[in-house]
Amino acid sequence: MLRNETPAALSAERLAAGRARLDCRLPQVDGVFADCLRDALDALSPAGVDAYLDCARFLGRIGRGAEPVLAFLEEWPAVARSVGEQALPAVLATLQSFHKSPNGKAIAPFLQSLAAVSRRLAAGEPLQHYLDLTLRLLEQTSGSIHGIHKSFASPGLPDFLVQAPTLLASLSIAGLKNWVDYGVRNYATHPERQRAYFGLQSADSRAVFRRERHGTLLVDHERQLDLYLRALWGEQALFVPYAVGIEAASLASPMPPAQPYDDAGGIRLPDVLDDAHGVSGIDRYRAALAHIAGHRRWSTPLFADNCSPMQRLAIETFEDSRIDTLVVRRYPGMQRIFRALHPRPLAGACDPQRFSCLRHRLAVLSRALLDGEQEHSDADVRDFVARFRQALAGGDASSQAMADLALAYVARTRRQGDQLPEVYFTDTLVDYRDDNRPLWRFRERSDDEEMFAENRPAAATAEIDRLPPRHYPEWDHHSQSYRPDWVSLYESLHPAGDAALIDRLLDKHAALARRLKRLLDILKPQERVRLRFQEEGSELDLDVAVRSLIDCRSGVTPDPRINMSHRSNGRNLSVLLLLDLSQSLADRVRSGDGEQTVLELSQEAVSLLAWSIDQLGDPFAIAGFHSDTRHDVRYLHLKGSSEPWGDAVKRRLAAMQAGYSTRIGAALRHAAHYLAASSAEKKLLLVLTDGQPSDVDVSDDRLLIEDARKAVGELDRQGIFSYCISLDARADEYVGHIFGHRHSVIDRIERLPQRLPELFMALTR
Amino acid sequence: MTADSEQYRVHREPFYRQQGNEVALYAAAYAARLPVMVKGPTGCGKSRFIEYMAWKLGRPLITVACNEDMTASDLVGRYLLEAGSTRWLDGPLTTAARIGAICYLDEIVEARQDTTVVIHPLTDHRRTLPLDKRGELLHAHADFQLVISYNPGYQSLMKDLKQSTKQRFTAFDFDYPEAELEATILAAESGIERTTAAQLVSIGAAARRLKGHGLDEGVSTRLLVYAATLIRHGVAAGDACRMALVRPITDDRDIRDTLDHAIDATFA
Ligand SMILES: Nc1ncnc2c1ncn2[C@@H]1O[C@H](COP(=O)(O)OP(=O)(O)OP(=O)(O)O)[C@@H](O)[C@H]1O
Ligand SMILES: [Mg+2]
């Protein structure tokens, strides 16, 4: 960068010339201008300084008060240092777009966060992408309320600009773009929700943020870490994440960084880890688990009561080093990882006059122990490295042996300055190590406390009454991505009515039942089925053999398939019938003797089907669903898969009612979750529905259709065969799209009671 | 018949390290001509043990790998149709009973139950094999013995031995050899060093802990021998393990990554 004048040498003429070029009479500018200009002269070329002042002049004239000018004057030199002064025209263009739209208010927040944003972007992402994205957000969220073009300011834009540095700390530009697009797509027409989204306040905003952020997410790798703990350590644990992502990033006052820990509630781990020092995120998790598993295996608790906090810190350091040593003994490959992750505190970095240095001294020692450093410049370190090695030479040593070493170390190295209030913290946190809480026992803990601690989990299980919702994603075909945890599904047992109603319906179909019974007998598992005309078989099929022999004798080529064998024919099938209980079920249709509701016909059909399947003995579950926005999808159990076909089930079927909408994707996913748990060889999900997927909070018809299609694909991959029986005469338009060939449309609904069991039998023959 | 029995003889001593006192126990069972069942996961040394015993006892060994399509005739024998006539051909079980061999039915559960029952008369005091189609009742040779193997790991409702079959056998429960012994076996089978063998065994142990968590079975001794053999032929330990221990047993990414990590952590 060209520097024409040193900061100190800002002449009166230069200042006056600058002030003239700025040509701005706002009084607030006077106080800061000299400092800003000095900074600008330091950061920018002469032409760059002129452009800087010109841009500031423009901002002084847009009638938005002093904020924009001040923000620009103060921030731009820093921005230019990060991304280069040639970015100014693009920034100016962005400012002009803000000015021309009703979004002038956003100019100040834009400028105020620009320097922080630029610092984040300096790592390689061009600023232009950020500017484009900002403008796009502006375009898509301004003025579209009630369709009056561009007359309203974007509600979310200022919030977005304030959050931008936080967002970019964790997201790439591409990730940020996805995050923005999601908000635009879902909240373009909801000012409040839009603000909550772009202010990183709403739950889905945070969920999408988490999904898009870089690094290794604990939620995505829980299974792998579980396998790690089992396979390499023969241990198991629940993993509980703590936040190092946005929650931590947006904290106003930085707290001491959280560390992993292990207690009765599980192993606490950071919710996300970036690659660091050449160690991948997953290996950082493994390092933390290895260390914790090592403690579980080799540490024995010590009494804390007799130790000062400093002594405890020293004991923990020696004990942690012992654990790492033993871990490396068992898995030598961990050495590279531990060494890469352990900080390298500099021997003389802590000033004992100003800080308490014990923590730093211990970190230096810990590093030396990990490196097995014998030539260390500090004699105490050398000595204790040797004593540590000796203690571990003959075996695993013990926590107590480490405590003895540590106490000797503290006694030997005690300094006056250790008592200073301010602790030197730099390069002392070994972040793969846990906080050692299981290492300490307290004698003085009262019985009450212990009782309390042990009783705690019980309180949590008390309110099992209403099951908490399960969350399911939903496919958004616009972005070709899932909306995480989009739908809340509540499950419960269906209310009960009068079983006699179902018996009456079954009586009505007595003739049909007799016919079905004949079909069912054929389907019934038979112990052995004879397979004739086999070339290889268990027995000679005499008839055929004799025929072949005759052929042979008479010079004709004989049929070699003269054997037969047997196959035992068990059915290994689990079935779930999913009923759409939405409002359209109340529609009336003409049937043989007058009018009937679709609901009644469904009850008949389902009862007949249940009766039929019961005859066959296949496990069979029935559930219904309806929805009232994505926040409330209800999944009602009508029959459990091993529950016998009897009065309890009939009572529930009798109480079936129509209501609400058809958000089918979540219901399919939930049903799949039950079927997937079955160990049957074949899993069949029958869906009975009378209309297309829809819900009151969704205006785009395609959305739920595409989501349902996606859900069916997911089921396929789980080995679940799904089949849809639709009662909607217009279903052809969408049902094939969702279920492929696996569907039937029953257009004469009055025949449903007959068709449903027939279809089932055909499917499972 | 002697020519027949010659081809089934085990001529060289198979390498076998006993896990307990199974050699003596087997010898006692053979002395009493009791049928034997060896249970255990795949590749833990069941076949090797039987081979070794056949050698030690100086008996011919006829091994039949059972499968789903196998029928009773495949064991007993069948008429073959030839132009103008038919010819009877003994099945392996019949041959063994005639020449006094040890007949080893490997993975008997794979065979269908109607096939399995043909062994019943051979396994009780009768020691006979009715060849119905031939109208012959074969009395087993005095040295004949029946051995079956069976991997309980695969057990499902469809594939389990009938009680009436199980209760005809004395049984050995095999498992992977314990660590020390397994390392000795690896070193002896492949010629690699003891320390490397021990490292392989610890990786095997890691994989075996995942049984039921995405793995149907752990890594067998057989696969460990494969890995050792590859290393012996100059393949880098990590590559050998990935190729012989991990890739064959899983397509599950999480498991694969975890075991790959175990390999890297073990062979630093
Ligand atoms: N005790 C042992 N002594 C010597 N070698 C052994 C022993 N146990 C296992 N092995 C080795 O393991 C390999 C596999 O053993 P074997 O083929 O007998 O397995 P198996 O139990 O019969 O398996 P499967 O059920 O798959 O047939 C052998 O080839 C041999 O190298
Ligand atoms: Mg075998």
Side-chain angles (χ1 to χ4, degrees):
Chain A
M1 190 132 308
L2 242 163
R3 294 188 185 169
N4 46 354
E5 286 161 88
T6 58
L10 179 60
S11 63
E13 309 93 87
R14 190 71 190 84
L15 186 61
R19 193 61 223 252
R21 188 161 187 134
L22 178 64
D23 188 18
C24 168
R25 260 169 288 281
L26 292 163
Q28 297 92 322
V29 173
D30 296 336
V32 299
F33 185 70
D35 285 340
C36 291
L37 184 60
R38 205 175 278 127
D39 197 18
L41 287 168
D42 179 49
L44 309 173
S45 70
V49 174
D50 289 346
Y52 166 70
L53 293 170
D54 292 346
C55 182
R57 187 176 62 235
F58 161 71
L59 290 168
R61 301 208 167 148
I62 56 176
R64 294 255 155 224
E67 265 312 305
V69 205
L70 290 175
F72 179 77
L73 285 173
E74 283 163 10
E75 300 277 329
W76 182 254
V79 175
R81 283 192 187 98
S82 298
V83 296
E85 64 182 42
Q86 72 285 352
L88 187 58
V91 171
L92 185 59
T94 309
L95 290 167
Q96 279 160 346
S97 307
F98 276 40
H99 178 52
K100 273 182 262 161
S101 79
N103 289 289
K105 265 216 186 77
I107 289 180
F110 169 76
L111 289 169
Q112 277 153 356
S113 63
L114 193 59
V117 164
S118 305
R119 265 195 302 281
R120 299 291 183 196
L121 292 177
E125 300 278 2
L127 183 65
Q128 189 61 51
H129 289 304
Y130 171 72
L131 299 177
D132 293 346
L133 187 59
T134 306
L135 284 180
R136 241 216 351 233
L137 173 60
L138 176 147
E139 281 289 317
Q140 291 173 337
T141 52
S142 301
S144 44
I145 309 162
H146 311 307
I148 305 167
H149 193 61
K150 298 276 149 43
S151 50
F152 293 94
S154 159
L157 183 61
D159 298 280
F160 167 74
L161 294 168
V162 169
Q163 294 300 331
T166 304
L167 290 162
L168 282 168
S170 302
L171 304 181
S172 65
I173 274 284
L176 182 64
K177 182 172 165 301
N178 290 339
W179 183 83
V180 167
D181 285 350
Y182 185 96
V184 168
R185 212 164 43 242
N186 291 293
Y187 302 115
T189 54
H190 292 282
E192 273 104 70
R193 293 204 212 154
Q194 190 186 117
R195 292 203 54 189
Y197 184 90
F198 286 106
L200 258 179
Q201 298 300 317
S202 64
D204 56 342
S205 163
R206 283 157 179 264
V208 178
F209 175 90
R210 253 178 239 116
R211 187 184 70 196
E212 293 295 340
R213 68 157 294 152
H214 45 73
T216 305
L217 297 186
L218 179 61
V219 282
D220 293 343
H221 294 82
E222 256 176 85
R223 170 153 186 268
Q224 230 189 84
L225 295 174
D226 179 62
L227 294 172
Y228 170 81
L229 211 51
R230 275 178 205 283
L232 282 84
W233 296 97
E235 291 276 345
Q236 60 191 88
L238 206 69
F239 300 124
V240 187
Y242 60 79
V244 297
I246 9 167
E247 287 82 354
S250 56
L251 270 180
S253 64
M255 305 220 303
Q259 269 178 286
Y261 66 86
D262 185 15
D263 74 2
I267 294 181
R268 317 294 160 123
L269 294 169
D271 60 354
V272 55
L273 284 176
D274 282 314
D275 300 358
H277 313 291
V279 179
S280 65
I282 187 78
D283 275 348
R284 290 181 66 192
Y285 278 118
R286 288 180 181 136
L289 289 179
H291 187 83
I292 285 175
H295 272 303
R296 285 188 177 183
R297 178 168 302 201
W298 292 299
S299 285
T300 41
L302 303 166
F303 281 104
D305 306 68
N306 301 330
C307 299
S308 71
M310 285 189 190
Q311 288 173 324
R312 273 160 60 184
L313 188 63
I315 293 172
E316 289 180 8
T317 304
F318 276 92
E319 178 68 351
D320 282 343
S321 300
R322 179 177 78 99
I323 295 305
D324 284 356
T325 306
L326 296 178
V327 167
V328 168
R329 259 185 210 170
R330 191 174 159 85
Y331 293 111
M334 294 309 292
Q335 184 158 61
R336 177 190 72 81
I337 296 175
F338 286 157
R339 284 190 181 169
L341 295 176
H342 195 294
R344 297 172 181 277
L346 294 175
C350 177
D351 177 358
Q353 306 298 318
R354 292 174 52 213
F355 297 102
S356 163
C357 289
L358 177 68
R359 194 184 158 89
H360 179 256
R361 277 205 306 285
L362 286 169
V364 170
L365 175 68
S366 169
R367 178 80 223 183
L369 291 173
L370 186 63
D371 291 342
E373 172 133 51
Q374 281 158 312
E375 313 283 273
H376 203 276
S377 55
D378 183 318
D380 291 334
V381 172
R382 268 200 314 277
D383 183 28
F384 278 87
V385 168
R387 287 165 77 170
F388 175 86
R389 288 166 67 97
Q390 207 196 337
L392 275 125
D396 295 348
S398 67
S399 303
Q400 189 56 53
M402 291 303 110
D404 297 343
L405 257 187
L407 295 180
Y409 176 83
V410 172
R412 165 93 70 86
T413 67
R414 182 173 297 137
R415 305 273 149 79
Q416 196 59 47
D418 292 349
Q419 304 302 329
L420 287 170
E422 204 171 333
V423 174
Y424 188 85
F425 215 78
T426 312
D427 289 338
T428 60
L429 185 81
V430 188
D431 63 9
Y432 65 83
R433 289 179 180 171
D434 61 300
D435 70 2
N436 278 318
R437 68 185 65 187
L439 188 61
W440 300 108
R441 287 277 173 282
F442 294 86
R443 263 185 247 269
E444 282 159 17
R445 198 171 177 214
S446 76
D447 286 352
D448 287 354
E449 261 178 304
E450 243 156 86
M451 294 272 297
F452 178 73
E454 268 141 41
N455 282 337
R456 235 176 353 178
T461 49
E463 50 160 330
I464 212 84
D465 229 20
R466 175 174 165 85
L467 287 169
R470 288 183 69 98
H471 298 289
Y472 285 98
E474 194 168 89
W475 178 252
D476 174 6
H477 70 110
H478 293 298
S479 65
Q480 294 290 300
S481 68
Y482 284 100
R483 298 164 158 178
D485 289 354
W486 187 253
V487 180
S488 304
L489 180 145
Y490 295 86
E491 59 183 313
S492 57
L493 201 59
H494 197 284
D498 178 9
L501 171 76
I502 298 298
D503 284 327
R504 274 200 302 283
L505 293 177
L506 281 174
D507 282 348
K508 185 175 133 195
H509 289 288
L512 176 56
R514 270 197 303 281
R515 242 181 322 128
L516 286 173
K517 185 124 176 66
R518 277 202 302 279
L519 289 170
L520 287 165
D521 283 340
I522 302 172
L523 266 184
K524 266 215 189 121
Q526 260 135 9
E527 278 299 82
R528 298 174 89 208
V529 187
R530 198 163 57 156
L531 298 172
R532 298 188 70 177
F533 299 106
Q534 305 281 299
E535 200 158 344
E536 306 265 279
S538 53
E539 281 162 53
L540 197 65
D541 189 334
L542 260 179
D543 281 356
V544 188
V546 167
R547 235 183 302 157
S548 286
L549 205 56
I550 294 168
D551 286 348
C552 200
R553 294 263 154 84
S554 52
V556 181
T557 316
D559 185 353
R561 296 172 304 154
I562 55 164
N563 288 305
M564 62 179 180
S565 57
H566 294 100
R567 183 165 59 86
S568 64
N569 183 24
R571 287 167 69 91
N572 190 353
L573 171 75
S574 184
V575 189
L576 194 152
L577 173 65
L578 186 62
L579 299 174
D580 167 2
L581 297 180
S582 62
Q583 184 57 43
S584 45
L585 213 56
D587 293 352
R588 307 191 74 81
V589 288
R590 291 200 52 77
S591 77
D593 27 60
E595 270 203 335
Q596 249 188 316
T597 61
V598 182
L599 178 72
E600 274 169 331
L601 281 164
S602 299
Q603 280 172 316
E604 290 172 18
V606 171
S607 304
L608 272 165
L609 179 65
W611 170 83
S612 308
I613 299 181
D614 192 58
Q615 305 275 307
L616 290 169
D618 300 326
F620 174 51
I622 310 176
F625 74 96
H626 54 215
S627 63
D628 183 17
T629 78
R630 69 184 176 96
H631 302 290
D632 193 7
V633 175
R634 271 158 273 168
Y635 186 96
L636 302 159
H637 295 274
L638 288 150
K639 177 182 180 301
S641 112
S642 54
E643 193 177 10
W645 168 240
D647 277 355
V649 177
K650 289 179 191 168
R651 273 199 292 276
R652 279 177 231 132
L653 282 179
M656 262 168 61
Q657 272 186 348
Y660 307 101
S661 313
T662 319
R663 200 173 202 112
I664 197 169
L668 287 172
R669 292 184 178 96
H670 193 62
H673 139 87
Y674 278 107
L675 269 180
S678 142
S679 59
E681 218 164 56
K682 300 256 169 14
K683 298 162 187 178
L684 173 63
L685 177 63
L686 285 176
V687 183
L688 181 62
T689 168
D690 62 343
Q692 84 173 49
S694 68
D695 207 343
V696 286
D697 59 343
V698 179
S699 48
D700 173 4
D701 285 351
R702 293 301 311 161
L703 197 87
L704 295 181
I705 292 179
E706 294 295 336
D707 174 57
R709 172 185 162 87
K710 201 73 188 169
V712 168
E714 293 162 26
L715 265 60
D716 257 1
R717 279 192 296 282
Q718 297 177 60
I720 296 169
F721 185 100
S722 39
Y723 194 94
C724 177
I725 298 124
S726 176
L727 307 180
D728 178 4
R730 297 179 322 273
D732 288 323
E733 292 161 19
Y734 59 87
V735 72
H737 186 65
I738 300 175
F739 289 93
H741 293 299
R742 299 169 176 184
H743 73 270
S744 311
V745 177
I746 299 189
D747 28 31
R748 286 173 57 202
I749 299 180
E750 69 277 11
R751 290 188 56 218
L752 180 66
Q754 178 188 343
R755 290 290 293 140
L756 187 60
E758 282 176 0
L759 265 167
F760 170 76
M761 287 186 239
L763 279 174
T764 63
R765 189 150 24 227
Chain B
M1 283 298 156
T2 43
D4 245 3
S5 77
E6 220 25 57
Q7 60 170 319
Y8 295 118
R9 223 164 267 285
V10 183
H11 293 285
R12 280 189 41 222
E13 173 175 0
F15 169 73
Y16 183 75
R17 274 294 140 79
Q18 79 171 322
Q19 296 193 20
N21 58 346
E22 68 266 23
V23 172
L25 288 175
Y26 187 102
Y30 181 76
R33 299 297 185 269
L34 295 176
V36 164
M37 159 158 68
V38 284
K39 302 200 280 185
T42 183
C44 68
K46 301 184 296 285
S47 302
R48 180 63 67 90
F49 172 59
I50 301 305
E51 208 185 320
Y52 174 78
M53 290 312 300
W55 171 83
K56 197 170 168 68
L57 298 168
R59 298 316 315 157
L61 175 66
I62 298 181
T63 301
V64 185
C66 301
N67 61 53
E68 227 175 319
D69 297 328
M70 207 173 69
T71 62
S73 331
D74 291 326
L75 283 177
V76 173
R78 56 160 52 90
Y79 276 107
L80 298 182
L81 216 50
E82 287 177 343
S85 67
T86 59
R87 184 169 63 87
W88 173 259
L89 186 71
D90 277 347
L93 183 64
T94 312
T95 307
R98 282 193 208 281
I99 67 174
I102 293 175
C103 182
Y104 178 39
L105 303 180
D106 203 354
E107 281 303 344
I108 185 86
V109 274
E110 291 295 333
R112 293 199 317 266
Q113 294 193 345
D114 51 314
T115 309
T116 319
V117 293
V118 306
I119 65 176
H120 284 191
L122 273 175
T123 50
D124 51 33
H125 64 279
R126 293 171 282 177
R127 285 177 59 86
T128 55
L129 180 61
L131 308 175
D132 295 339
K133 290 183 194 147
R134 243 191 139 199
E136 179 186 346
L137 183 65
L138 176 67
H139 289 271
H141 188 287
D143 294 337
F144 169 79
Q145 187 199 24
L146 189 66
V147 182
I148 62 176
S149 84
Y150 157 59
N151 179 351
Y154 293 143
Q155 226 170 38
S156 78
L157 278 178
M158 310 301 289
K159 278 190 185 161
D160 193 13
L161 284 183
K162 274 198 209 219
Q163 272 303 323
S164 59
T165 305
K166 282 186 188 165
Q167 299 225 2
R168 296 180 132 77
F169 291 86
T170 60
F172 290 92
D173 234 335
F174 273 68
D175 205 340
Y176 307 116
E178 52 85 29
E180 280 286 301
L181 179 64
E182 195 165 37
T184 312
I185 292 170
L186 296 194
E189 283 273 285
S190 66
I192 59 169
E193 282 181 36
R194 253 321 279 258
T195 43
T196 316
Q199 285 169 316
L200 285 176
V201 168
S202 89
I203 294 169
R208 286 168 197 170
R209 285 189 211 109
L210 296 184
K211 183 173 172 191
H213 298 276
L215 280 189
D216 294 334
E217 291 238 343
V219 169
S220 63
T221 309
R222 178 178 16 245
L223 288 180
L224 291 175
V225 172
Y226 288 177
T229 308
L230 288 171
I231 293 173
R232 177 79 193 132
H233 282 81
V235 178
D239 293 339
C241 289
R242 275 180 255 281
M243 176 174 165
L245 304 184
V246 182
R247 299 304 178 271
I249 61 167
T250 188
D251 299 314
D252 179 324
R253 243 194 78 184
D254 290 341
I255 291 189
R256 197 190 62 206
D257 290 355
T258 302
L259 294 180
D260 283 354
H261 171 81
I263 292 164
D264 294 337
T266 305
F267 294 102

